[in-house]
Amino acid sequence: MRLIIGMSGSSGVIYGIRMLQMLADKPEIETHLVMSQAARMNIGIETDWAAEDVEALADEVHNNKNIGATIASGSFETAGMIVVPCSMKTLSGIVNSYADNLLIRAADVILKERRRLVIVPRESPLHTGHCELMFKASQYGAIICPPSPAFYTNPQSVDDIINHSVARVLDLFDIETASLKRWQGQGS
């Protein structure tokens, strides 16, 4: 299975990093990473990672300026794409088919090919324009999956919250992870 991971420039790059870490343990999944310049900057601001070390987690890395990359074509078969985190600028580009970079072009291709596109928006609070963009993306076939923590898991750390959120996104592609604690229901 091939999966595209797009990281754009909003806060929350740790979600994209953790996703790549979880997928690196799954040799049956070939990851294709594309990062915006702002994502690269936020990696340095928000984490102890270097952008090059994040890139090393992916099977293939694409330059965001390379509109001729494999992931820019519908004939390049993938299971879909996850944009994590997804800035409102990137979401706007996706919704409006303004494919001036590879990340947005790849997402546009996923939508036109009717493949699974999962958008992990990172903005709060939201104004009406943000809500409209998410609504339109959903109408076009994208799945909007904000990183909302589940507290029934009794998280003990920020890592527990991050791991659960990322595992829930991967669950949308039927990718199992050991870190996902599923709801078992309430006893009667």
mmCIF file of all heavy atoms in Angstrom, residues 15-36:
data_model
loop_
_atom_site.group_PDB
_atom_site.id
_atom_site.type_symbol
_atom_site.label_atom_id
_atom_site.label_comp_id
_atom_site.label_asym_id
_atom_site.label_seq_id
_atom_site.Cartn_x
_atom_site.Cartn_y
_atom_site.Cartn_z
ATOM 1 N N TYR A 15 2.054 15.620 15.064
ATOM 2 C CA TYR A 15 1.114 14.617 14.566
ATOM 3 C C TYR A 15 1.637 13.968 13.283
ATOM 4 O O TYR A 15 1.541 12.755 13.104
ATOM 5 C CB TYR A 15 -0.267 15.229 14.314
ATOM 6 C CG TYR A 15 -0.993 15.637 15.572
ATOM 7 C CD1 TYR A 15 -1.155 16.979 15.895
ATOM 8 C CD2 TYR A 15 -1.529 14.681 16.435
ATOM 9 C CE1 TYR A 15 -1.825 17.361 17.043
ATOM 10 C CE2 TYR A 15 -2.205 15.056 17.583
ATOM 11 C CZ TYR A 15 -2.349 16.400 17.882
ATOM 12 O OH TYR A 15 -3.012 16.768 19.023
ATOM 13 N N GLY A 16 2.187 14.761 12.388
ATOM 14 C CA GLY A 16 2.757 14.214 11.157
ATOM 15 C C GLY A 16 3.987 13.379 11.432
ATOM 16 O O GLY A 16 4.186 12.320 10.830
ATOM 17 N N ILE A 17 4.831 13.851 12.347
ATOM 18 C CA ILE A 17 6.031 13.099 12.713
ATOM 19 C C ILE A 17 5.642 11.757 13.310
ATOM 20 O O ILE A 17 6.174 10.706 12.920
ATOM 21 C CB ILE A 17 6.913 13.911 13.687
ATOM 22 C CG1 ILE A 17 7.459 15.162 12.993
ATOM 23 C CG2 ILE A 17 8.049 13.046 14.234
ATOM 24 C CD1 ILE A 17 8.101 16.169 13.933
ATOM 25 N N ARG A 18 4.717 11.766 14.243
ATOM 26 C CA ARG A 18 4.296 10.519 14.892
ATOM 27 C C ARG A 18 3.668 9.559 13.887
ATOM 28 O O ARG A 18 3.867 8.354 13.944
ATOM 29 C CB ARG A 18 3.328 10.815 16.028
ATOM 30 C CG ARG A 18 2.998 9.617 16.918
ATOM 31 C CD ARG A 18 4.233 9.047 17.647
ATOM 32 N NE ARG A 18 5.059 10.071 18.233
ATOM 33 C CZ ARG A 18 4.845 10.670 19.410
ATOM 34 N NH1 ARG A 18 3.822 10.339 20.155
ATOM 35 N NH2 ARG A 18 5.672 11.612 19.835
ATOM 36 N N MET A 19 2.920 10.112 12.931
ATOM 37 C CA MET A 19 2.327 9.271 11.895
ATOM 38 C C MET A 19 3.418 8.565 11.107
ATOM 39 O O MET A 19 3.342 7.359 10.863
ATOM 40 C CB MET A 19 1.458 10.116 10.970
ATOM 41 C CG MET A 19 0.794 9.289 9.909
ATOM 42 S SD MET A 19 -0.772 9.929 9.382
ATOM 43 C CE MET A 19 -1.598 10.355 10.881
ATOM 44 N N LEU A 20 4.438 9.307 10.711
ATOM 45 C CA LEU A 20 5.547 8.707 9.973
ATOM 46 C C LEU A 20 6.277 7.673 10.820
ATOM 47 O O LEU A 20 6.694 6.624 10.309
ATOM 48 C CB LEU A 20 6.514 9.791 9.494
ATOM 49 C CG LEU A 20 5.996 10.670 8.357
ATOM 50 C CD1 LEU A 20 6.866 11.907 8.200
ATOM 51 C CD2 LEU A 20 5.926 9.880 7.051
ATOM 52 N N GLN A 21 6.422 7.933 12.110
ATOM 53 C CA GLN A 21 7.058 6.959 12.996
ATOM 54 C C GLN A 21 6.248 5.662 13.047
ATOM 55 O O GLN A 21 6.805 4.566 12.961
ATOM 56 C CB GLN A 21 7.203 7.525 14.414
ATOM 57 C CG GLN A 21 8.262 8.582 14.553
ATOM 58 C CD GLN A 21 8.288 9.178 15.958
ATOM 59 O OE1 GLN A 21 7.264 9.592 16.486
ATOM 60 N NE2 GLN A 21 9.465 9.204 16.546
ATOM 61 N N MET A 22 4.938 5.785 13.200
ATOM 62 C CA MET A 22 4.088 4.595 13.263
ATOM 63 C C MET A 22 4.109 3.827 11.941
ATOM 64 O O MET A 22 4.135 2.598 11.933
ATOM 65 C CB MET A 22 2.660 4.979 13.636
ATOM 66 C CG MET A 22 2.487 5.384 15.070
ATOM 67 S SD MET A 22 0.731 5.728 15.418
ATOM 68 C CE MET A 22 0.815 6.192 17.142
ATOM 69 N N LEU A 23 4.103 4.547 10.842
ATOM 70 C CA LEU A 23 4.100 3.894 9.530
ATOM 71 C C LEU A 23 5.458 3.291 9.182
ATOM 72 O O LEU A 23 5.525 2.316 8.430
ATOM 73 C CB LEU A 23 3.660 4.881 8.454
ATOM 74 C CG LEU A 23 2.191 5.311 8.540
ATOM 75 C CD1 LEU A 23 1.908 6.455 7.575
ATOM 76 C CD2 LEU A 23 1.261 4.130 8.290
ATOM 77 N N ALA A 24 6.534 3.826 9.735
ATOM 78 C CA ALA A 24 7.875 3.285 9.485
ATOM 79 C C ALA A 24 7.995 1.856 10.001
ATOM 80 O O ALA A 24 8.806 1.073 9.495
ATOM 81 C CB ALA A 24 8.943 4.179 10.111
ATOM 82 N N ASP A 25 7.173 1.503 10.984
ATOM 83 C CA ASP A 25 7.176 0.148 11.541
ATOM 84 C C ASP A 25 6.348 -0.829 10.710
ATOM 85 O O ASP A 25 6.194 -1.982 11.089
ATOM 86 C CB ASP A 25 6.620 0.161 12.975
ATOM 87 C CG ASP A 25 7.551 0.876 13.944
ATOM 88 O OD1 ASP A 25 8.761 0.966 13.660
ATOM 89 O OD2 ASP A 25 7.061 1.344 14.988
ATOM 90 N N LYS A 26 5.797 -0.363 9.610
ATOM 91 C CA LYS A 26 4.925 -1.187 8.769
ATOM 92 C C LYS A 26 5.522 -1.292 7.365
ATOM 93 O O LYS A 26 5.233 -0.473 6.498
ATOM 94 C CB LYS A 26 3.525 -0.588 8.734
ATOM 95 C CG LYS A 26 2.929 -0.494 10.133
ATOM 96 C CD LYS A 26 1.469 -0.302 10.102
ATOM 97 C CE LYS A 26 0.872 -0.438 11.471
ATOM 98 N NZ LYS A 26 0.956 -1.767 12.054
ATOM 99 N N PRO A 27 6.352 -2.313 7.132
ATOM 100 C CA PRO A 27 7.041 -2.425 5.843
ATOM 101 C C PRO A 27 6.101 -2.593 4.651
ATOM 102 O O PRO A 27 6.480 -2.317 3.515
ATOM 103 C CB PRO A 27 7.937 -3.652 6.014
ATOM 104 C CG PRO A 27 7.378 -4.398 7.168
ATOM 105 C CD PRO A 27 6.680 -3.404 8.037
ATOM 106 N N GLU A 28 4.874 -2.996 4.903
ATOM 107 C CA GLU A 28 3.918 -3.169 3.811
ATOM 108 C C GLU A 28 3.335 -1.848 3.317
ATOM 109 O O GLU A 28 2.616 -1.807 2.320
ATOM 110 C CB GLU A 28 2.788 -4.129 4.233
ATOM 111 C CG GLU A 28 1.833 -3.579 5.275
ATOM 112 C CD GLU A 28 2.297 -3.667 6.735
ATOM 113 O OE1 GLU A 28 3.481 -3.970 7.001
ATOM 114 O OE2 GLU A 28 1.463 -3.415 7.622
ATOM 115 N N ILE A 29 3.665 -0.755 4.025
ATOM 116 C CA ILE A 29 3.159 0.563 3.646
ATOM 117 C C ILE A 29 4.321 1.426 3.168
ATOM 118 O O ILE A 29 5.285 1.652 3.899
ATOM 119 C CB ILE A 29 2.417 1.236 4.817
ATOM 120 C CG1 ILE A 29 1.241 0.369 5.239
ATOM 121 C CG2 ILE A 29 1.952 2.635 4.410
ATOM 122 C CD1 ILE A 29 0.552 0.807 6.501
ATOM 123 N N GLU A 30 4.210 1.893 1.936
ATOM 124 C CA GLU A 30 5.212 2.769 1.329
ATOM 125 C C GLU A 30 4.741 4.201 1.508
ATOM 126 O O GLU A 30 3.696 4.581 0.992
ATOM 127 C CB GLU A 30 5.338 2.421 -0.150
ATOM 128 C CG GLU A 30 6.328 3.256 -0.930
ATOM 129 C CD GLU A 30 6.319 2.857 -2.401
ATOM 130 O OE1 GLU A 30 6.500 1.659 -2.707
ATOM 131 O OE2 GLU A 30 6.113 3.759 -3.244
ATOM 132 N N THR A 31 5.519 4.990 2.245
ATOM 133 C CA THR A 31 5.115 6.369 2.526
ATOM 134 C C THR A 31 5.818 7.356 1.593
ATOM 135 O O THR A 31 7.012 7.241 1.335
ATOM 136 C CB THR A 31 5.394 6.752 3.987
ATOM 137 O OG1 THR A 31 6.765 6.499 4.288
ATOM 138 C CG2 THR A 31 4.517 5.961 4.938
ATOM 139 N N HIS A 32 5.030 8.315 1.127
ATOM 140 C CA HIS A 32 5.521 9.397 0.276
ATOM 141 C C HIS A 32 5.246 10.701 1.008
ATOM 142 O O HIS A 32 4.090 11.038 1.254
ATOM 143 C CB HIS A 32 4.814 9.380 -1.082
ATOM 144 C CG HIS A 32 5.247 8.236 -1.928
ATOM 145 N ND1 HIS A 32 6.104 8.389 -2.989
ATOM 146 C CD2 HIS A 32 4.966 6.909 -1.840
ATOM 147 C CE1 HIS A 32 6.324 7.197 -3.537
ATOM 148 N NE2 HIS A 32 5.644 6.286 -2.855
ATOM 149 N N LEU A 33 6.291 11.406 1.376
ATOM 150 C CA LEU A 33 6.182 12.621 2.176
ATOM 151 C C LEU A 33 6.401 13.863 1.327
ATOM 152 O O LEU A 33 7.331 13.924 0.525
ATOM 153 C CB LEU A 33 7.213 12.591 3.310
ATOM 154 C CG LEU A 33 7.342 13.845 4.175
ATOM 155 C CD1 LEU A 33 6.055 14.110 4.960
ATOM 156 C CD2 LEU A 33 8.538 13.702 5.127
ATOM 157 N N VAL A 34 5.531 14.842 1.549
ATOM 158 C CA VAL A 34 5.723 16.165 0.961
ATOM 159 C C VAL A 34 5.422 17.186 2.057
ATOM 160 O O VAL A 34 4.402 17.088 2.742
ATOM 161 C CB VAL A 34 4.850 16.391 -0.302
ATOM 162 C CG1 VAL A 34 3.380 16.215 -0.025
ATOM 163 C CG2 VAL A 34 5.132 17.752 -0.930
ATOM 164 N N MET A 35 6.360 18.117 2.252
ATOM 165 C CA MET A 35 6.224 19.123 3.314
ATOM 166 C C MET A 35 6.306 20.523 2.730
ATOM 167 O O MET A 35 7.132 20.792 1.856
ATOM 168 C CB MET A 35 7.353 18.993 4.343
ATOM 169 C CG MET A 35 7.264 17.808 5.238
ATOM 170 S SD MET A 35 8.435 17.923 6.629
ATOM 171 C CE MET A 35 10.002 17.660 5.821
ATOM 172 N N SER A 36 5.480 21.404 3.270
ATOM 173 C CA SER A 36 5.586 22.813 2.896
ATOM 174 C C SER A 36 6.788 23.422 3.610
ATOM 175 O O SER A 36 7.304 22.866 4.586
ATOM 176 C CB SER A 36 4.307 23.561 3.274
ATOM 177 O OG SER A 36 4.218 23.698 4.681
#
